[in-house]
Amino acid sequence: MGIVLKQSFRNTIIIYGAFLIGGINTIVFYPRILESEFYGMVTFLLSASNLIMPLTAFGVQYTIVKFFSSYQTKEEKDKFLSSVIFIPLFIALPLGFLWDYVHDWIMNRITEENKIIEDYTFSIYLIAIACAYFELFYSWTKVQLQTVFGNILKELWNRVVVMLLLLAVFLGLITKSGFIFYLTGAYLLRVLVMMCYAFYMYFPKFYFKLPNNFNEILQYSLYIILAGSAGAILLDIDKIMIPGKDTIEKAAYYSVAVFIGSFIEAPSRAMTQILQPLTSKSLNEFKNKEVENLYKKSSINLFLVGGLFFLLVNCGVTELFKIMPEKGYTGGEWVVLMISAAKLYTMFLGSNGAIISNSKFYKITLPLAVGMSLTVYLLNKLFYFNLGFGTDGLALATLITILSFNTIKLWFVHYKFKITPFTPKSLKMFFIILILFFCFYFWDFNLPILKIADFSITPIINIILKSIIILILYVFLVLKLKISNEFDSLLKRFYR
């Protein structure tokens, strides 16, 4: 776990720095500078591009991770990379020629009051292509076990650019419309930087000859593209569905709550960057004991860190919503709780997804992803459109879907590999999180209202004081019960 913890720690710092900047953008700048209508449109455009991106990428980013370590010679590796780098163009170019039809399809599925989207749909296409090739070149560096620079571009780049562009709008340097176009340009520039770094890390000799297992590569990519497209529906279909019923401002309100709930997953995103290639390498070399070791250690360490941020987020979210500028943002506590619970369960499974997608059983990812996308779509229709549960219904649909299908994945890995992420420490960790949650979720400091101008600082004081107490108790219990050797070692290193 040495290289995993080393790069995961660096990536976690980067991602939480990105989340901090993203939080300032989401909670402070977006609502006050772009306001909810234009922020809702940005949310819609980015979510729509996320839905298209897996299709344009053709699964190549996962294909590189799975197959690269299986080749023994540089010539074989170069033939492989030469063959996959152009594959996304076979989707991207026809899609660009047919974009007028895609534009009409999008506009026919939103309400009349949300027609503000019409002038910006081509940004969906450009951002999707840029993200597809970014992921390809990021995987290019992952297989060299270098994830930190790519993670900076993936997590920090866009959020810093958004902050700078929002400040430019505030200062009158650009218009709100210009914000969209400059943001699109930033995505295109990011992929060029990532490409240069990928070629710097490993520059292949380009061959016009396919590798011997190209049919296997195409078959894998086809499965992954379908699975990835279906999986993207789970993540972004709710934000896409909102403008079909409510005003686009609701997409902004829901997006803020989802962002807050997703805050806890940063360690998982950081660790996955290095777990994917390491798991693939262990599977390719038939080192099943090493796979199991990665599975258990990634599970308990992600559960530990994710549990802390689950508590900090949910026990302070009510106060956090009090400082939002519009009343529409308040009342999202249930959305935050359900989304964060879903993320925490996913983190608890550790390298489960990496084991499935990089093993010979990868084909199961397609029916699982299709099942997840259909389930979340039908539940969204039921809870949001039919039963009128509002955005709480969208979050509930996501929670039910993730709990159900992640449990199936847990069973599948156990059935095929005879391994689980469970250890006796897992149960201890669960009770620590549960007890502290019920102790602090319903309690706040009863402080007098303090204001600077029209801004109340009492909620911020409440959040800070409660977070300090939770942090101290949590770390004490984790150390006392010896939950994680890696966590103990990390704290001792900082103490020294």
Side-chain angles (χ1 to χ4, degrees):
M1 288 287 287
I3 189 171
V4 176
L5 286 175
K6 184 177 180 181
Q7 293 205 30
S8 296
F9 178 72
R10 292 176 181 175
N11 286 335
T12 299
I13 298 298
I14 293 166
I15 290 176
Y16 272 123
F19 265 91
L20 177 62
I21 295 171
I24 295 171
N25 292 338
T26 301
I27 297 171
V28 181
F29 288 163
Y30 264 129
R32 289 170 172 83
I33 297 175
L34 284 193
E35 300 176 342
S36 55
E37 181 186 27
F38 223 83
Y39 179 26
M41 187 184 70
V42 173
T43 298
F44 176 86
L45 295 176
L46 295 179
S47 296
S49 69
N50 287 338
L51 286 178
I52 297 173
M53 190 278 284
L55 180 67
T56 55
F58 206 81
V60 170
Q61 70 271 36
Y62 301 108
T63 304
I64 291 174
V65 172
K66 176 172 174 57
F67 287 99
F68 186 83
S69 62
S70 67
Y71 296 109
Q72 302 302 315
T73 67
K74 186 178 188 303
E75 181 179 348
E76 289 177 324
K77 293 176 179 179
D78 290 352
K79 286 180 182 178
F80 167 65
L81 293 176
S82 300
S83 65
V84 299
I85 193 172
F86 297 108
I87 288 179
L89 293 178
F90 290 104
I91 300 292
L93 293 178
L95 185 62
F97 284 115
L98 297 172
W99 190 255
D100 285 344
Y101 298 100
V102 178
H103 168 85
D104 293 339
W105 184 86
I106 292 172
M107 297 312 299
N108 288 333
R109 279 157 178 78
I110 61 174
T111 60
E112 190 66 32
E113 59 192 342
N114 294 322
K115 294 297 183 181
I116 185 177
I117 296 167
E118 186 163 13
D119 295 332
Y120 306 97
T121 59
F122 197 65
S123 289
I124 297 173
Y125 171 75
L126 293 177
I127 292 173
I129 302 304
C131 289
Y133 263 100
F134 174 84
E135 292 296 336
L136 184 155
F137 288 118
Y138 189 15
S139 293
W140 194 296
T141 62
K142 283 181 187 178
V143 294
Q144 308 302 320
L145 301 184
Q146 298 296 325
T147 65
V148 176
F149 182 76
N151 199 44
I152 291 173
L153 293 180
K154 184 180 177 72
E155 303 293 345
L156 272 175
W157 176 285
N158 294 333
R159 291 177 171 91
V160 171
V161 166
V162 164
M163 177 176 282
L164 294 175
L165 291 177
L166 287 171
L167 290 173
V169 173
F170 177 73
L171 296 172
L173 301 176
I174 61 173
T175 64
K176 291 181 181 179
S177 298
F179 174 89
I180 301 292
F181 298 123
Y182 280 110
L183 182 60
T184 304
Y187 275 93
L188 295 172
L189 180 59
R190 183 184 68 156
V191 72
L192 292 177
V193 175
M194 189 70 239
M195 179 182 70
C196 293
Y197 181 70
F199 286 154
Y200 170 74
M201 292 302 305
Y202 185 94
F203 193 83
K205 179 181 178 182
F206 286 94
Y207 289 88
F208 293 98
K209 186 177 180 181
L210 300 177
N212 295 330
N213 62 336
F214 189 70
N215 288 336
E216 184 185 359
I217 291 169
L218 274 183
Q219 185 181 36
Y220 179 81
S221 296
L222 182 61
Y223 267 88
I224 292 299
I225 183 182
L226 295 173
S229 298
I233 293 174
L234 174 67
L235 298 175
D236 288 289
I237 191 65
D238 43 9
K239 303 182 191 76
I240 299 298
M241 294 176 74
I242 289 174
K245 178 185 178 184
D246 289 314
T247 61
I248 202 166
E249 287 92 337
K250 283 286 183 67
Y253 304 149
Y254 181 69
S255 180
V256 169
V258 170
F259 173 84
I260 296 170
S262 301
F263 183 78
I264 75 165
E265 73 171 343
S268 177
R269 290 164 64 171
M271 189 175 283
T272 299
Q273 312 302 342
I274 191 64
L275 274 177
Q276 281 276 1
L278 285 177
T279 302
S280 175
K281 188 172 186 296
S282 298
L283 287 167
N284 287 334
E285 296 172 355
F286 304 101
K287 295 179 179 178
N288 292 334
K289 198 66 183 176
E290 191 171 314
V291 173
E292 182 179 10
N293 187 48
L294 285 169
Y295 194 22
K296 291 183 181 297
K297 288 192 174 184
S298 62
S299 170
I300 193 63
N301 285 297
L302 287 174
F303 196 30
L304 187 159
V305 180
L308 172 60
F309 286 99
F310 174 84
L311 293 171
L312 295 177
V313 165
N314 285 285
C315 293
V317 69
T318 302
E319 298 297 302
L320 185 62
F321 279 128
K322 290 179 182 179
I323 66 176
M324 297 296 291
E326 298 181 36
K327 291 183 179 180
Y329 287 99
T330 60
E333 291 86 354
W334 282 105
V335 172
V336 173
L337 179 60
M338 288 185 280
I339 295 296
S340 60
K343 299 293 185 182
L344 184 61
Y345 184 51
T346 301
M347 294 174 72
F348 170 67
L349 298 188
S351 59
N352 177 280
I355 293 172
I356 295 175
S357 62
N358 289 287
S359 72
K360 63 182 179 181
F361 306 110
Y362 68 86
K363 291 182 180 179
I364 193 65
T365 58
L366 178 57
L368 285 174
V370 171
M372 290 178 76
S373 61
L374 287 175
T375 301
V376 77
Y377 176 77
L378 294 174
L379 289 177
N380 279 344
K381 294 280 285 186
L382 175 65
F383 295 148
Y384 186 65
F385 287 94
N386 298 337
L387 298 180
F389 286 177
T391 52
D392 287 349
L394 298 175
L396 179 60
T398 301
L399 176 63
I400 292 172
T401 302
I402 289 179
L403 290 180
S404 302
F405 283 86
N406 275 355
T407 302
I408 294 173
K409 291 179 182 179
L410 181 69
W411 169 83
F412 183 82
V413 170
H414 173 63
Y415 178 72
K416 292 295 184 181
F417 295 89
K418 309 303 180 190
I419 58 176
T420 73
F422 303 124
T423 68
K425 297 175 181 179
S426 304
L427 190 61
K428 294 179 184 179
M429 196 67 254
F430 174 76
F431 280 111
I432 291 174
I433 297 169
L434 191 66
I435 291 169
L436 291 180
F437 176 80
F438 282 108
C439 285
F440 290 97
Y441 184 75
F442 302 100
W443 172 78
D444 284 302
F445 290 95
N446 188 19
L447 298 173
I449 302 297
L450 300 174
K451 287 190 175 183
I452 297 178
D454 292 328
F455 184 78
S456 176
I457 62 171
T458 300
I460 297 177
I461 297 174
N462 249 324
I463 292 171
I464 293 172
L465 292 176
K466 190 191 284 192
S467 297
I468 291 172
I469 296 173
I470 291 173
L471 179 62
I472 292 172
L473 289 174
Y474 192 87
V475 172
F476 172 77
L477 291 172
V478 166
L479 291 175
K480 191 72 175 177
L481 296 175
K482 301 185 183 301
I483 300 295
S484 167
N485 295 331
E486 290 76 21
F487 184 71
D488 291 354
S489 299
L490 193 62
L491 285 183
K492 287 176 182 177
R493 188 182 306 170
F494 275 108
Y495 178 74
R496 291 195 192 103

